[in-house]
Amino acid sequence: MNTRIKMICATFGMVLGMGMLYPVQQVEAEENTESAAQEKSVIPEHISICGTDVSGMSVEEANAVVNQYVDQYENVSFTLTANDKSIKADGDDIGLCAKNADVTERALRYGKEGNLIARYKANADMKAGKSKDFAVSLTSDTATVEAYLNENKSELVTEAVDNTVKLVDGKFEYVEGSEGVALMTGKSAVKIADFISTDWDGKDASIELLTEKDEPRGTKEELATIHDVLGSYHTDFGTVINGRTNNIKNGASRLNGLVIYPGETVSVSDAIGPTTAENGYFPAGSYENGQVVDTYGGGICQVSTTLYNAVLFSELKVVKRYPHSMLVSYVPPSRDAAIAGDTKDFVFENNYDTPIYIFGEIDDDNQLCFAIYGKETRDKTRKIEFESEEVSTEEPGVKYKADAELALGEMEVTGSAHTGKEVKLWKIVYENGKQMSKDVINESTYSKADKTISVGIKTKNSSAAAVVKEAVSTQDKAKIQAAISEASSMESSSEQ
């Protein structure tokens, strides 16, 4: 409608549409009637979504209708093929969902959107009892598809095996890799989403995924640059062969031989794998809630810590590093790197221009050793030192705990003491014997842990047990000892 017609319509208080004139007042009246339903935040009458009446529903209730519509396809089978291999996926695997997720909001706003004529017609239709059905368009969630393809790509393609090197008798030998096929997960995810949106008929379907040639990384020339020790470190873990020892050996072996290319990062948690029995790990002591408890993979932090120090001396870029909750004994404070499930990881980056190689072993003297090889480009006179500065110290105390499993009056140390500290780690660089810099590279806080003494209250005499238990609640050693004497007398009297 051009400007001249609008002016004429405005003059006569009329609006032109569908070959006839409608009073503006009538349009406004229809909108006011419809807006009453809107104020209640419910969908107007005679509205449906995919054939299901949603009149009078809230958006949340209508969303349930949409979800129910999508759910009817959750068991449809999709055959995903690549490289003459295939896997099966269902609606959940590909994240089947509504493409027009705003359909319920549009249903709610029906009669309130568009130009004046469109709004009038919508309200007139609703008043006349004419129904309006909103369709749901389907698609797939590309992030869900990509995650599913990454999880199952080994069943579809054989990726390239990188060229690499191995250290034999102090010398590096070149090991040739092999060409492979890479699954283009991102582009394949988009292809699946497009297929669902435009070509899918709601039945079982087959979709060809996208692949590309996968060349092995690392030329002979690149890998030949690996020959210098950039940094190394070792820690002692004792002579006793136990679960902790086996965990350290297992973790070190999974890091040994890694070749890391320029700009590439390494997550130690990912490299050592989940610390489960299936991956060869054993229960051993680890820190948890201020105490030492047995968990699968206990001791693995000595692996990440030893490697952390080799990384520091190699001057690789540290991306993530976390201290332990309490001090460890095998490195100075602030020189540790804890690993803990999904919450703590040690991640570093190869910031050199050439590849590096991680060497890890346990030698004949029960030393865990890590060395990082690459091409040395630093000044030959460069020397690095690390200094731990204790900012504050908190001494542990003694905590008493009533124990119904220990005999009355028996006392047993069940938790060791740990001093709390706040520590800064300084990196000091010298060249030609002259100090060039001194910088703080991390700040670590270690919690204190009180020595825990369990006090036995196991007895048939409930009164005697109550006396000791009450004394334990005071955390006063003298009162506890006096209560133990009193309780013992009570127990003896009851036996006579």
Side-chain angles (χ1 to χ4, degrees):
M1 188 184 297
N2 61 37
T3 304
R4 180 177 177 80
I5 294 175
K6 287 181 180 178
M7 292 175 63
I8 294 172
C9 290
T11 301
F12 289 95
M14 309 286 280
V15 60
L16 182 63
M18 299 175 290
M20 59 190 298
L21 295 174
Y22 295 111
V24 172
Q25 291 86 351
Q26 185 176 351
V27 175
E28 292 174 345
E30 298 287 356
E31 287 190 348
N32 289 336
T33 300
E34 190 276 336
S35 66
Q38 295 287 352
E39 289 174 2
K40 298 178 183 178
S41 295
V42 295
I43 296 172
E45 293 296 315
H46 311 299
I47 304 297
S48 61
I49 295 177
C50 290
T52 300
D53 187 6
V54 293
S55 304
M57 288 188 183
S58 66
V59 168
E60 291 75 16
E61 291 169 330
N63 281 335
V65 172
V66 174
N67 291 337
Q68 187 175 14
Y69 175 80
V70 175
D71 288 345
Q72 68 179 312
Y73 298 105
E74 64 182 358
N75 294 320
V76 173
S77 177
F78 297 93
T79 302
L80 309 179
T81 63
N83 200 33
D84 297 325
K85 298 179 181 179
S86 65
I87 57 173
K88 296 285 187 179
D90 59 26
D92 283 341
D93 294 329
I94 66 170
L96 198 65
C97 58
K99 186 176 183 179
N100 53 333
D102 65 339
V103 63
T104 53
E105 291 286 350
R106 287 173 45 224
L108 178 70
R109 297 194 301 269
Y110 184 62
K112 296 288 288 184
E113 293 183 317
N115 59 38
L116 189 62
I117 295 173
R119 297 197 306 271
Y120 176 82
K121 183 179 183 304
N123 283 285
D125 286 347
M126 285 189 287
K127 185 177 181 181
K130 293 183 179 180
S131 62
K132 168 66 177 177
D133 186 65
F134 287 84
V136 173
S137 300
L138 297 177
T139 188
S140 60
D141 179 65
T142 54
T144 301
V145 176
E146 194 165 355
Y148 184 74
L149 293 179
N150 280 323
E151 183 180 346
N152 294 279
K153 64 183 177 182
S154 61
E155 298 181 35
L156 293 167
V157 296
T158 301
E159 296 183 314
V161 176
D162 288 339
N163 303 315
T164 187
V165 291
K166 63 178 180 180
L167 190 58
V168 180
D169 297 329
K171 294 183 179 180
F172 284 100
E173 295 181 358
Y174 175 76
V175 180
E176 188 173 1
S178 59
E179 186 181 275
V181 175
L183 182 62
M184 303 168 71
T185 55
K187 291 184 177 180
S188 293
V190 172
K191 181 179 180 180
I192 291 172
D194 289 343
F195 170 78
I196 299 297
S197 299
T198 58
D199 300 320
W200 186 45
D201 61 1
K203 300 177 181 178
D204 292 352
S206 181
I207 306 170
E208 184 72 27
L209 304 176
L210 302 175
T211 61
E212 62 183 349
K213 190 177 181 180
D214 190 21
E215 297 284 357
R217 293 183 302 172
T219 64
K220 280 188 176 180
E221 292 73 22
E222 283 180 302
L223 295 169
T225 63
I226 300 174
H227 48 67
D228 302 317
V229 176
L230 304 177
S232 64
Y233 199 75
H234 68 269
T235 57
D236 190 349
F237 62 87
T239 58
V240 178
I241 304 299
N242 53 23
R244 189 175 192 279
T245 305
N246 289 321
N247 292 339
I248 291 173
K249 288 181 178 179
N250 189 11
S253 68
R254 291 169 180 262
L255 289 160
N256 180 49
L258 287 183
V259 173
I260 307 163
Y261 289 88
E264 188 177 8
T265 60
V266 173
S267 158
V268 174
S269 281
D270 289 346
I272 65 174
T275 53
T276 60
E278 291 77 13
N279 281 335
Y281 291 99
F282 293 83
S286 60
Y287 289 151
E288 184 176 297
N289 297 323
Q291 298 296 325
V292 177
V293 297
D294 277 355
T295 59
Y296 275 95
I300 199 66
C301 290
Q302 187 162 349
V303 174
S304 57
T305 290
T306 307
L307 180 58
Y308 173 56
N309 282 269
V311 164
L312 289 179
F313 282 105
S314 302
E315 296 189 90
L316 297 173
K317 181 180 178 180
V318 175
V319 179
K320 290 182 183 178
R321 170 265 169 191
Y322 297 90
H324 286 75
S325 57
M326 297 184 294
L327 289 166
V328 297
S329 60
Y330 43 85
V331 290
S334 243
R335 295 272 292 272
D336 60 323
I339 300 290
D342 297 328
T343 60
K344 292 183 178 181
D345 192 6
F346 170 40
V347 180
F348 62 95
E349 177 185 326
N350 176 11
N351 53 328
Y352 283 74
D353 295 328
T354 51
I356 60 173
Y357 177 94
I358 306 299
F359 172 75
E361 71 164 6
I362 295 173
D363 64 19
D364 295 336
D365 296 323
N366 287 316
Q367 300 281 311
L368 171 61
C369 306
F370 274 103
I372 298 175
Y373 290 83
K375 181 181 179 181
E376 184 60 86
T377 57
R378 295 169 294 182
D379 191 291
K380 292 182 179 180
T381 67
R382 188 178 181 87
K383 180 183 176 184
I384 305 168
E385 291 180 356
F386 294 97
E387 180 181 297
S388 296
E389 177 193 355
E390 295 184 6
V391 178
S392 66
T393 300
E394 186 178 10
E395 295 298 333
V398 178
K399 181 172 64 177
Y400 296 93
K401 181 177 69 173
D403 191 334
E405 299 300 318
L406 284 178
L408 182 69
E410 185 177 341
M411 302 179 75
E412 181 181 310
V413 176
T414 54
S416 56
H418 290 265
T419 301
K421 289 183 184 293
E422 290 184 10
V423 184
K424 289 182 179 180
L425 183 63
W426 294 85
K427 176 182 177 181
I428 309 167
V429 178
Y430 300 89
E431 288 185 6
N432 289 313
K434 181 181 177 181
Q435 181 175 313
M436 305 300 294
S437 62
K438 182 176 181 180
D439 301 298
V440 174
I441 61 169
N442 79 46
E443 297 184 40
S444 304
T445 300
Y446 303 94
S447 302
K448 74 159 187 170
D450 294 332
K451 179 180 180 180
T452 302
I453 299 177
S454 294
V455 181
I457 59 170
K458 184 178 181 181
T459 176
K460 294 180 180 180
N461 189 321
S462 59
S463 298
V467 167
V468 176
K469 189 174 182 179
E470 183 179 354
V472 169
S473 68
T474 69
Q475 296 294 303
D476 186 306
K477 182 179 179 181
K479 289 182 180 180
I480 293 171
Q481 289 176 332
I484 290 173
S485 297
E486 180 183 349
S488 297
S489 298
M490 292 170 66
E491 189 176 41
S492 298
S493 299
S494 65
E495 292 174 352
Q496 292 176 357

